[in-house]
Amino acid sequence: MKNNGKNSGFVIIVAAISALGGLLFGYDTGVISGAIIFIQKDFALRAVMEELTVSAVLIGAVTGSIFGGTLSDRFGRRRIIILSALIFVLGAAGTALTPNITWLIVGRIVVGIGIGIASFTTPLYISEVSPDRMRGRLVTLNQLAITVGIVVSYLVGYALAASRNWRMMFALAVVPAIILGIGMIFMPESPRWLLSRNQTDKAEAALKKIRVPAQVKKEMQGILESLKEQTGKWSDLFTPTVKPALVVGVGLAVFQQISGINTVIYYAPTILQFAGFKSASAAILATVGVGVVNMIVTVVSMFLLDKSGRRPLLIIGLTGMIISLFILGTAFFIPALSHSYGWLPVVSLMLYVASFAIGLGPVFWLLISEIFPLKIRGLAMSIASDANWGSNLLVALTFLSLIQLVGKGWTFWLYGIITILAVLFSFKLVPETKGRSLEEIESHWREGKQPGKRRQIHE
Ligand code: BGC
């Protein structure tokens, strides 16, 4: 099943344009860490207001991801990505021009709504337009864009710190948002979604743009066959066919966050200062290093996902996270350790982020774009994304208090224990989806196969 160069090339462009949604996700979640110091001073914020300003984006994302699902099933993937671009522009402009803190918080909630919608409609759209053999790579372009967005936000924060220009930090997000919105106008709608709405001619035309002619009829037939088995009702979510997929999606969503990744992404300089880094600028520099490791290892994962499969990378990555979390925790328990081996916390943080980037980071977003039936894919993905954003918010709000309550060592050990549960969960329940068509994956659940017993989907 070879694609000719032309069509593969176009599908890569389609994926890259929509992955700007991921770039905005990363940039807009990361940018607050550089901006908050100046916002806090300019508006003389008290602690509660400062926390609210930081977490507003997550509150927005929880809201956006829950509404986005039904919308993308109803109005199409492309239109909803365009809607998210519009929301990003509004939010970025609003936060950059805000007269007071209330409007700033409202603006950040709006940005968050954009992030919540884009976070899953982007992988959803890419997954539905990709050829099976390169779906892992193309969907992970979105995760790569998230990591690039995070690094760019750190660098912009650093570059604009001297001029204290936090408004510009927010305003810059307008640029990729406009490119995303305009770019998507010229992209084809997902042929799978079009077929699910009985728009056969349009689906065929869309598919012709992204596949070689010989493949079009066959792929359409497969999708139509699979659609016959689906009703598209909410209640489908709880049928024996869809429930196991929902358990996998929501389970991975929660584990992706409560294993602590964003304590590092949002608080790396703080963690490094805990670990004995005296100078703030060295801690910030090490943070950029963490971001770069995250980015580079995501590229490695991109190239491996379609070769070695999703499960091995997930399980290896989780194991690396467990090891590094226990080393980091131990370094805090035995201060002598981090004194004589000052590099230990930094190396374990890097190992932790690298392990996340090879497995749980990309695999979660990829799997939820693959394992649900077409007619309720948007809805089911939005439930999993919502669980992800809700858990993200929970960790962001509890991390510093947890450290005060049980200490640094136990906090990281706790994340380590949670990750042990994640590895057991993945080993038992997560199916292998490499190289299978989305319809084959659906029929796997329909046949009632227990992924734990038969992990390789549909030989
Ligand atoms: C997660 C984000 C995280 C990012 C880090 C994503 O997969 O959902 O919460 O900040 O990876 O690269």
Side-chain angles (χ1 to χ4, degrees):
M1 197 179 43
K2 273 215 166 341
N3 253 11
N4 71 14
K6 181 176 140 249
N7 284 358
S8 288
F10 185 59
V11 108
I12 293 170
I13 295 175
V14 174
I17 297 271
S18 50
L20 285 171
L23 187 89
L24 285 152
F25 166 168
Y27 184 85
D28 273 324
T29 46
V31 73
I32 195 71
S33 65
I36 191 68
I37 320 165
F38 307 113
I39 295 174
Q40 191 268 338
K41 293 218 169 82
D42 283 4
F43 294 115
L45 296 185
R46 280 199 246 128
V48 183
M49 284 306 266
E50 186 176 338
E51 269 170 16
L52 194 60
T53 314
V54 173
S55 41
V57 88
L58 298 177
I59 297 169
V62 174
T63 319
S65 56
I66 203 67
F67 290 120
T70 8
L71 291 180
S72 72
D73 283 339
R74 190 135 179 212
F75 299 105
R77 315 333 190 180
R78 203 176 122 264
R79 283 195 205 125
I80 298 307
I81 296 181
I82 296 174
L83 173 74
S84 77
L86 248 157
I87 299 177
F88 276 123
V89 173
L90 264 177
T95 44
L97 301 172
T98 184
N100 55 37
I101 189 66
T102 313
W103 282 106
L104 179 63
I105 293 172
V106 173
R108 287 294 288 169
I109 293 179
V110 172
V111 169
I113 294 177
I115 298 179
I117 298 176
S119 67
F120 73 92
T121 35
T122 308
L124 164 60
Y125 173 73
I126 302 180
S127 176
E128 290 187 343
V129 296
S130 298
D132 309 332
R133 67 187 169 83
M134 51 198 294
R135 195 175 54 239
R137 230 174 310 161
L138 291 180
V139 174
T140 301
L141 212 56
N142 180 57
Q143 174 71 15
L144 179 62
I146 298 174
T147 64
V148 173
I150 293 173
V151 172
V152 173
S153 78
Y154 289 162
L155 294 176
V156 166
Y158 194 62
L160 293 176
S163 59
R164 312 168 50 89
N165 197 347
W166 57 267
R167 291 180 190 270
M168 182 57 95
M169 296 180 198
F170 291 140
L172 284 176
V174 168
V175 180
I178 290 180
I179 303 177
L180 172 67
I182 296 180
M184 285 307 291
I185 295 175
F186 300 100
M187 297 297 115
E189 178 52 277
S190 151
R192 287 186 160 78
W193 178 79
L194 287 166
L195 280 177
S196 78
R197 309 298 287 184
N198 300 320
Q199 303 185 33
T200 318
D201 293 345
K202 283 192 186 162
E204 190 171 349
L207 211 50
K208 277 184 178 153
K209 290 191 191 152
I210 48 177
R211 296 289 185 277
V212 285
Q215 217 180 311
V216 172
K217 281 270 176 293
K218 194 173 150 244
E219 191 162 335
M220 282 185 59
Q221 252 164 25
I223 302 170
L224 286 169
E225 283 294 311
S226 169
L227 277 169
K228 279 190 214 147
E229 311 280 338
Q230 303 171 32
T231 67
K233 291 197 197 112
W234 273 68
S235 50
D236 279 4
L237 286 172
F238 307 102
T239 57
T241 340
V242 186
K243 211 161 90 190
L246 200 61
V247 170
V248 170
V250 172
L252 282 182
V254 174
F255 280 126
Q256 200 211 34
Q257 295 299 327
I258 63 170
S259 51
I261 185 61
N262 285 315
T263 63
V264 179
I265 301 291
Y266 304 160
Y267 293 104
T270 316
I271 299 177
L272 288 167
Q273 281 188 320
F274 285 160
F277 263 64
K278 294 278 175 294
S279 101
S281 61
I284 291 172
L285 204 67
T287 306
V288 176
V290 165
V292 171
V293 168
N294 191 13
M295 217 168 76
I296 294 173
V297 181
T298 306
V299 177
V300 177
S301 178
M302 245 175 94
F303 287 99
L304 291 178
L305 279 163
D306 291 317
K307 294 199 176 83
S308 49
R310 290 53 161 152
R311 270 178 61 89
L313 290 181
L314 179 63
I315 288 165
I316 291 169
L318 286 168
T319 311
M321 286 168 70
I322 295 170
I323 295 170
S324 43
L325 282 167
F326 278 102
I327 297 179
L328 190 61
T330 309
F332 286 122
F333 273 124
I334 313 171
L337 211 60
S338 37
H339 283 151
S340 28
Y341 299 97
W343 45 267
L344 198 65
V346 184
V347 171
S348 48
L349 264 194
M350 299 281 184
L351 176 67
Y352 170 73
V353 169
S355 310
F356 174 85
I358 201 86
L360 191 57
V363 171
F364 160 65
W365 293 109
L366 172 58
L367 270 177
I368 63 164
S369 77
E370 302 182 314
I371 56 176
F372 299 117
L374 175 53
K375 276 196 180 160
I376 51 161
R377 190 170 289 143
L379 172 65
M381 273 187 88
S382 80
I383 293 174
S385 311
D386 212 49
N388 188 267
W389 287 110
S391 316
N392 188 337
L393 183 62
L394 182 81
V395 173
L397 293 179
T398 53
F399 174 58
L400 294 177
S401 336
L402 201 62
I403 284 190
Q404 277 182 345
L405 202 70
V406 299
K408 297 160 199 145
W410 266 111
T411 301
F412 288 103
W413 276 17
L414 186 67
Y415 294 137
I417 294 168
I418 290 171
T419 316
I420 295 179
L421 299 179
V423 98
L424 297 175
F425 175 90
S426 306
F427 194 76
K428 185 113 188 67
L429 296 177
V430 171
E432 182 55 79
T433 52
K434 174 189 81 168
R436 311 289 146 190
S437 74
L438 295 177
E439 291 67 39
E440 280 170 340
I441 300 171
E442 280 169 32
S443 75
H444 164 90
W445 298 110
R446 249 194 318 277
E447 286 158 24
K449 285 175 195 139
Q450 287 296 311
K453 291 199 188 111
R454 185 156 173 217
R455 290 180 199 105
Q456 182 65 36
I457 279 187
H458 214 84
E459 267 81 13

PDB file of all heavy atoms in Angstrom, residues 320-337:
ATOM      1  N   GLY A 320      11.075   4.472  32.460  1.00  0.00           N
ATOM      2  CA  GLY A 320      12.081   5.532  32.642  1.00  0.00           C
ATOM      3  C   GLY A 320      11.574   6.611  33.594  1.00  0.00           C
ATOM      4  O   GLY A 320      12.333   7.134  34.424  1.00  0.00           O
ATOM      5  N   MET A 321      10.285   6.943  33.487  1.00  0.00           N
ATOM      6  CA  MET A 321       9.723   7.972  34.378  1.00  0.00           C
ATOM      7  C   MET A 321       9.778   7.504  35.832  1.00  0.00           C
ATOM      8  O   MET A 321      10.126   8.265  36.735  1.00  0.00           O
ATOM      9  CB  MET A 321       8.267   8.276  33.986  1.00  0.00           C
ATOM     10  CG  MET A 321       8.129   9.097  32.720  1.00  0.00           C
ATOM     11  SD  MET A 321       6.425   9.153  32.090  1.00  0.00           S
ATOM     12  CE  MET A 321       5.604  10.157  33.317  1.00  0.00           C
ATOM     13  N   ILE A 322       9.448   6.216  36.048  1.00  0.00           N
ATOM     14  CA  ILE A 322       9.451   5.685  37.422  1.00  0.00           C
ATOM     15  C   ILE A 322      10.864   5.791  38.009  1.00  0.00           C
ATOM     16  O   ILE A 322      11.057   6.322  39.109  1.00  0.00           O
ATOM     17  CB  ILE A 322       8.989   4.202  37.436  1.00  0.00           C
ATOM     18  CG1 ILE A 322       7.532   4.117  36.987  1.00  0.00           C
ATOM     19  CG2 ILE A 322       9.170   3.585  38.824  1.00  0.00           C
ATOM     20  CD1 ILE A 322       7.020   2.716  36.731  1.00  0.00           C
ATOM     21  N   ILE A 323      11.850   5.322  37.237  1.00  0.00           N
ATOM     22  CA  ILE A 323      13.233   5.327  37.738  1.00  0.00           C
ATOM     23  C   ILE A 323      13.657   6.761  38.089  1.00  0.00           C
ATOM     24  O   ILE A 323      14.161   7.035  39.174  1.00  0.00           O
ATOM     25  CB  ILE A 323      14.193   4.718  36.683  1.00  0.00           C
ATOM     26  CG1 ILE A 323      13.848   3.231  36.479  1.00  0.00           C
ATOM     27  CG2 ILE A 323      15.655   4.895  37.091  1.00  0.00           C
ATOM     28  CD1 ILE A 323      14.561   2.572  35.310  1.00  0.00           C
ATOM     29  N   SER A 324      13.382   7.706  37.160  1.00  0.00           N
ATOM     30  CA  SER A 324      13.872   9.064  37.406  1.00  0.00           C
ATOM     31  C   SER A 324      13.130   9.744  38.560  1.00  0.00           C
ATOM     32  O   SER A 324      13.732  10.497  39.322  1.00  0.00           O
ATOM     33  CB  SER A 324      13.801   9.901  36.131  1.00  0.00           C
ATOM     34  OG  SER A 324      12.595   9.688  35.471  1.00  0.00           O
ATOM     35  N   LEU A 325      11.831   9.451  38.708  1.00  0.00           N
ATOM     36  CA  LEU A 325      11.087  10.066  39.816  1.00  0.00           C
ATOM     37  C   LEU A 325      11.622   9.571  41.157  1.00  0.00           C
ATOM     38  O   LEU A 325      11.746  10.350  42.118  1.00  0.00           O
ATOM     39  CB  LEU A 325       9.592   9.749  39.697  1.00  0.00           C
ATOM     40  CG  LEU A 325       8.832  10.581  38.665  1.00  0.00           C
ATOM     41  CD1 LEU A 325       7.460   9.994  38.375  1.00  0.00           C
ATOM     42  CD2 LEU A 325       8.701  12.034  39.142  1.00  0.00           C
ATOM     43  N   PHE A 326      11.951   8.275  41.230  1.00  0.00           N
ATOM     44  CA  PHE A 326      12.481   7.766  42.499  1.00  0.00           C
ATOM     45  C   PHE A 326      13.883   8.326  42.772  1.00  0.00           C
ATOM     46  O   PHE A 326      14.209   8.627  43.917  1.00  0.00           O
ATOM     47  CB  PHE A 326      12.437   6.230  42.543  1.00  0.00           C
ATOM     48  CG  PHE A 326      11.053   5.750  42.933  1.00  0.00           C
ATOM     49  CD1 PHE A 326      10.161   5.260  41.985  1.00  0.00           C
ATOM     50  CD2 PHE A 326      10.621   5.841  44.253  1.00  0.00           C
ATOM     51  CE1 PHE A 326       8.873   4.860  42.340  1.00  0.00           C
ATOM     52  CE2 PHE A 326       9.335   5.449  44.622  1.00  0.00           C
ATOM     53  CZ  PHE A 326       8.458   4.953  43.652  1.00  0.00           C
ATOM     54  N   ILE A 327      14.685   8.501  41.725  1.00  0.00           N
ATOM     55  CA  ILE A 327      16.018   9.097  41.951  1.00  0.00           C
ATOM     56  C   ILE A 327      15.854  10.550  42.432  1.00  0.00           C
ATOM     57  O   ILE A 327      16.478  10.970  43.398  1.00  0.00           O
ATOM     58  CB  ILE A 327      16.874   9.082  40.654  1.00  0.00           C
ATOM     59  CG1 ILE A 327      17.144   7.644  40.211  1.00  0.00           C
ATOM     60  CG2 ILE A 327      18.204   9.819  40.887  1.00  0.00           C
ATOM     61  CD1 ILE A 327      17.955   7.527  38.931  1.00  0.00           C
ATOM     62  N   LEU A 328      14.952  11.293  41.766  1.00  0.00           N
ATOM     63  CA  LEU A 328      14.742  12.690  42.147  1.00  0.00           C
ATOM     64  C   LEU A 328      14.259  12.792  43.597  1.00  0.00           C
ATOM     65  O   LEU A 328      14.783  13.576  44.393  1.00  0.00           O
ATOM     66  CB  LEU A 328      13.714  13.322  41.193  1.00  0.00           C
ATOM     67  CG  LEU A 328      13.550  14.827  41.279  1.00  0.00           C
ATOM     68  CD1 LEU A 328      14.861  15.531  40.941  1.00  0.00           C
ATOM     69  CD2 LEU A 328      12.468  15.321  40.308  1.00  0.00           C
ATOM     70  N   GLY A 329      13.274  11.966  43.944  1.00  0.00           N
ATOM     71  CA  GLY A 329      12.751  11.961  45.317  1.00  0.00           C
ATOM     72  C   GLY A 329      13.866  11.652  46.306  1.00  0.00           C
ATOM     73  O   GLY A 329      14.020  12.328  47.337  1.00  0.00           O
ATOM     74  N   THR A 330      14.674  10.641  45.981  1.00  0.00           N
ATOM     75  CA  THR A 330      15.752  10.226  46.880  1.00  0.00           C
ATOM     76  C   THR A 330      16.766  11.361  47.066  1.00  0.00           C
ATOM     77  O   THR A 330      17.264  11.590  48.168  1.00  0.00           O
ATOM     78  CB  THR A 330      16.447   8.963  46.319  1.00  0.00           C
ATOM     79  OG1 THR A 330      15.428   8.016  46.027  1.00  0.00           O
ATOM     80  CG2 THR A 330      17.420   8.378  47.319  1.00  0.00           C
ATOM     81  N   ALA A 331      17.036  12.083  45.962  1.00  0.00           N
ATOM     82  CA  ALA A 331      17.985  13.198  46.064  1.00  0.00           C
ATOM     83  C   ALA A 331      17.486  14.240  47.074  1.00  0.00           C
ATOM     84  O   ALA A 331      18.278  14.881  47.753  1.00  0.00           O
ATOM     85  CB  ALA A 331      18.195  13.834  44.701  1.00  0.00           C
ATOM     86  N   PHE A 332      16.162  14.389  47.187  1.00  0.00           N
ATOM     87  CA  PHE A 332      15.629  15.345  48.164  1.00  0.00           C
ATOM     88  C   PHE A 332      15.665  14.783  49.581  1.00  0.00           C
ATOM     89  O   PHE A 332      15.792  15.506  50.552  1.00  0.00           O
ATOM     90  CB  PHE A 332      14.194  15.741  47.804  1.00  0.00           C
ATOM     91  CG  PHE A 332      14.125  16.676  46.635  1.00  0.00           C
ATOM     92  CD1 PHE A 332      13.406  16.346  45.497  1.00  0.00           C
ATOM     93  CD2 PHE A 332      14.784  17.906  46.671  1.00  0.00           C
ATOM     94  CE1 PHE A 332      13.338  17.205  44.419  1.00  0.00           C
ATOM     95  CE2 PHE A 332      14.722  18.772  45.592  1.00  0.00           C
ATOM     96  CZ  PHE A 332      13.998  18.425  44.469  1.00  0.00           C
ATOM     97  N   PHE A 333      15.536  13.440  49.707  1.00  0.00           N
ATOM     98  CA  PHE A 333      15.572  12.812  51.026  1.00  0.00           C
ATOM     99  C   PHE A 333      16.972  12.884  51.625  1.00  0.00           C
ATOM    100  O   PHE A 333      17.136  13.014  52.824  1.00  0.00           O
ATOM    101  CB  PHE A 333      15.160  11.333  50.933  1.00  0.00           C
ATOM    102  CG  PHE A 333      13.673  11.145  51.024  1.00  0.00           C
ATOM    103  CD1 PHE A 333      12.975  10.479  50.030  1.00  0.00           C
ATOM    104  CD2 PHE A 333      12.968  11.625  52.119  1.00  0.00           C
ATOM    105  CE1 PHE A 333      11.603  10.305  50.110  1.00  0.00           C
ATOM    106  CE2 PHE A 333      11.596  11.444  52.205  1.00  0.00           C
ATOM    107  CZ  PHE A 333      10.911  10.787  51.193  1.00  0.00           C
ATOM    108  N   ILE A 334      17.965  12.714  50.744  1.00  0.00           N
ATOM    109  CA  ILE A 334      19.340  12.695  51.247  1.00  0.00           C
ATOM    110  C   ILE A 334      20.056  13.913  50.668  1.00  0.00           C
ATOM    111  O   ILE A 334      20.686  13.832  49.607  1.00  0.00           O
ATOM    112  CB  ILE A 334      20.061  11.395  50.801  1.00  0.00           C
ATOM    113  CG1 ILE A 334      19.144  10.202  51.063  1.00  0.00           C
ATOM    114  CG2 ILE A 334      21.408  11.240  51.491  1.00  0.00           C
ATOM    115  CD1 ILE A 334      19.634   8.893  50.473  1.00  0.00           C
ATOM    116  N   PRO A 335      19.958  15.067  51.346  1.00  0.00           N
ATOM    117  CA  PRO A 335      20.524  16.296  50.774  1.00  0.00           C
ATOM    118  C   PRO A 335      22.002  16.134  50.422  1.00  0.00           C
ATOM    119  O   PRO A 335      22.477  16.717  49.448  1.00  0.00           O
ATOM    120  CB  PRO A 335      20.340  17.330  51.891  1.00  0.00           C
ATOM    121  CG  PRO A 335      19.294  16.761  52.779  1.00  0.00           C
ATOM    122  CD  PRO A 335      19.348  15.281  52.657  1.00  0.00           C
ATOM    123  N   ALA A 336      22.719  15.304  51.201  1.00  0.00           N
ATOM    124  CA  ALA A 336      24.152  15.119  50.922  1.00  0.00           C
ATOM    125  C   ALA A 336      24.356  14.650  49.487  1.00  0.00           C
ATOM    126  O   ALA A 336      25.337  14.981  48.824  1.00  0.00           O
ATOM    127  CB  ALA A 336      24.739  14.118  51.889  1.00  0.00           C
ATOM    128  N   LEU A 337      23.366  13.876  49.031  1.00  0.00           N
ATOM    129  CA  LEU A 337      23.455  13.315  47.682  1.00  0.00           C
ATOM    130  C   LEU A 337      23.465  14.425  46.629  1.00  0.00           C
ATOM    131  O   LEU A 337      24.288  14.427  45.717  1.00  0.00           O
ATOM    132  CB  LEU A 337      22.242  12.407  47.462  1.00  0.00           C
ATOM    133  CG  LEU A 337      22.401  11.211  46.552  1.00  0.00           C
ATOM    134  CD1 LEU A 337      23.465  10.277  47.082  1.00  0.00           C
ATOM    135  CD2 LEU A 337      21.064  10.464  46.448  1.00  0.00           C
TER     136      LEU A 337
END
